[in-house]
Amino acid sequence: MHVQLSPSTLCLCRPLANIISATPHSVKHRRSQIRKSPQPHTCRFSETRRASRVYAASGGLFGGLKKALQGKEKPQRDGHRVEFPPCRLLKTTRDYELRIYDVYPYATTPYERRDEGFLALGSYMEGRNSESARMNLTQPIVMRYEAATGLKTMQLYVGSRKGDPPASQLPKPEPMQHPPLPLDPSVTLEVGGGEVVAVRAFQGQATEAVTKQHCRHLIKALESDGITLGLAERSGVFRLAQYGPINSLSIRKNEVILAVQL
């Protein structure tokens, strides 16, 4: 299967390239992986259906993510708006989902303790940037792990500014093309997306042992279906996405994410 990003989405790469550290090769590689635009499917999140009803009923993140994948997100007051990276669902199985992510900007920082990463990225989103701009709440928090080097980085999608309509509500949805520069030297802006990923969802505490168990399960399921991992993932790289308030006793939704080649 080959898929292609729309010209309106790919145009994001040009203005972002002036302010981020992504290499031209990495952007071109992401473009070349996506060659045909798929039709969106309905997202089920079968493994978290019961918890999804709880969050959706309270205006929570599970319902918001489902609506975003289905293209049914509705306008909300700034204080309650949650935005997600632009993506579409390609396939759902009992073990995982396949999604295609369009190109989007994100802020990232290396970290040792999670609270350090939360603080650095949260400060950027709350105005510690070159324009003192405050951003609308985005989800999920994504942690990227490199097994070979032990490097850990945290990522957060940069959505719309407070007071602006989110990309999903615009006539031609496009992520922010000119995000403000971070003032914290540990925070940088990067280009994400332009890829197809396999996602396995689970609930509860995302400890190292539990996360690696779900990662192994996902890899085994992909191998069984004849799906090839991305180049970095073959060397042990994986991502963990977490939804919901950072300090909360409510049910937390987690996702193991692996880039794949179709």
Side-chain angles (χ1 to χ4, degrees):
M1 182 191 334
H2 295 286
V3 283
Q4 179 176 343
L5 293 174
S6 65
S8 62
T9 301
L10 287 175
C11 74
L12 173 65
C13 295
R14 184 172 300 165
L16 279 178
N18 296 327
I19 60 173
I20 61 173
S21 58
T23 63
H25 171 76
S26 64
V27 174
K28 290 179 181 178
H29 179 66
R30 286 176 178 141
R31 291 184 187 179
S32 64
Q33 286 183 320
I34 313 298
R35 297 196 177 171
K36 182 180 177 183
S37 182
Q39 295 297 321
H41 294 10
T42 299
C43 176
R44 292 189 295 116
F45 286 121
S46 57
E47 296 183 22
T48 56
R49 186 173 297 170
R50 182 171 62 87
S52 177
R53 292 195 190 104
V54 174
Y55 272 80
S58 61
L61 295 172
F62 286 2
L65 179 60
K66 289 176 65 177
K67 291 177 182 178
L69 282 167
Q70 296 171 0
K72 298 178 181 179
E73 187 178 10
K74 296 181 180 180
Q76 297 178 341
R77 297 194 304 272
D78 282 352
H80 301 278
R81 178 184 298 163
V82 179
E83 301 178 26
F84 305 90
C87 65
R88 287 163 287 169
L89 189 63
L90 299 179
K91 178 182 178 180
T92 301
T93 75
R94 61 179 296 178
D95 296 305
Y96 62 88
E97 291 182 347
L98 288 181
R99 301 177 192 163
I100 176 173
Y101 278 84
D102 291 339
V103 175
Y104 62 87
Y106 66 88
T108 182
T109 185
Y111 72 97
E112 288 297 329
R113 301 197 318 269
R114 290 187 183 182
D115 58 334
E116 296 174 340
F118 293 146
L119 179 60
L121 297 183
S123 296
Y124 169 78
M125 298 291 282
E126 285 298 317
R128 194 181 180 194
N129 53 63
S130 59
E131 301 176 21
S132 299
R134 298 181 65 196
M135 312 296 176
N136 285 310
L137 176 65
T138 62
Q139 290 281 322
I141 287 282
V142 178
M143 286 149 282
R144 185 178 187 270
Y145 299 89
E146 296 183 11
T149 64
L151 177 65
K152 299 186 293 185
T153 54
M154 188 174 291
Q155 307 171 359
L156 186 60
Y157 167 51
V158 179
S160 60
R161 303 168 190 253
K162 286 189 180 294
D164 293 342
S168 60
Q169 296 173 19
L170 298 176
K172 294 183 178 180
E174 293 181 358
M176 185 186 300
Q177 295 194 20
H178 300 281
L181 294 171
L183 296 181
D184 185 341
S186 71
V187 178
T188 58
L189 292 176
E190 302 280 352
V191 170
E195 61 180 350
V196 176
V197 300
V199 177
R200 177 173 173 81
F202 64 98
Q203 298 179 52
Q205 294 295 319
T207 63
E208 180 179 358
V210 170
T211 301
K212 288 184 176 180
Q213 178 184 358
H214 283 282
C215 191
R216 289 192 295 268
H217 189 114
L218 176 56
I219 292 173
K220 184 177 180 180
L222 292 172
E223 290 176 347
S224 177
D225 291 344
I227 297 177
T228 304
L229 293 176
L231 184 60
E233 281 68 18
R234 283 176 242 166
S235 65
V237 172
F238 69 92
R239 283 168 277 179
L240 171 67
Q242 292 193 308
Y243 298 83
I246 297 173
N247 298 314
S248 174
L249 296 177
S250 58
I251 300 173
R252 170 155 291 197
K253 179 178 183 296
N254 312 290
E255 294 177 339
V256 171
I257 301 175
L258 297 174
V260 298
Q261 298 177 354
L262 299 181

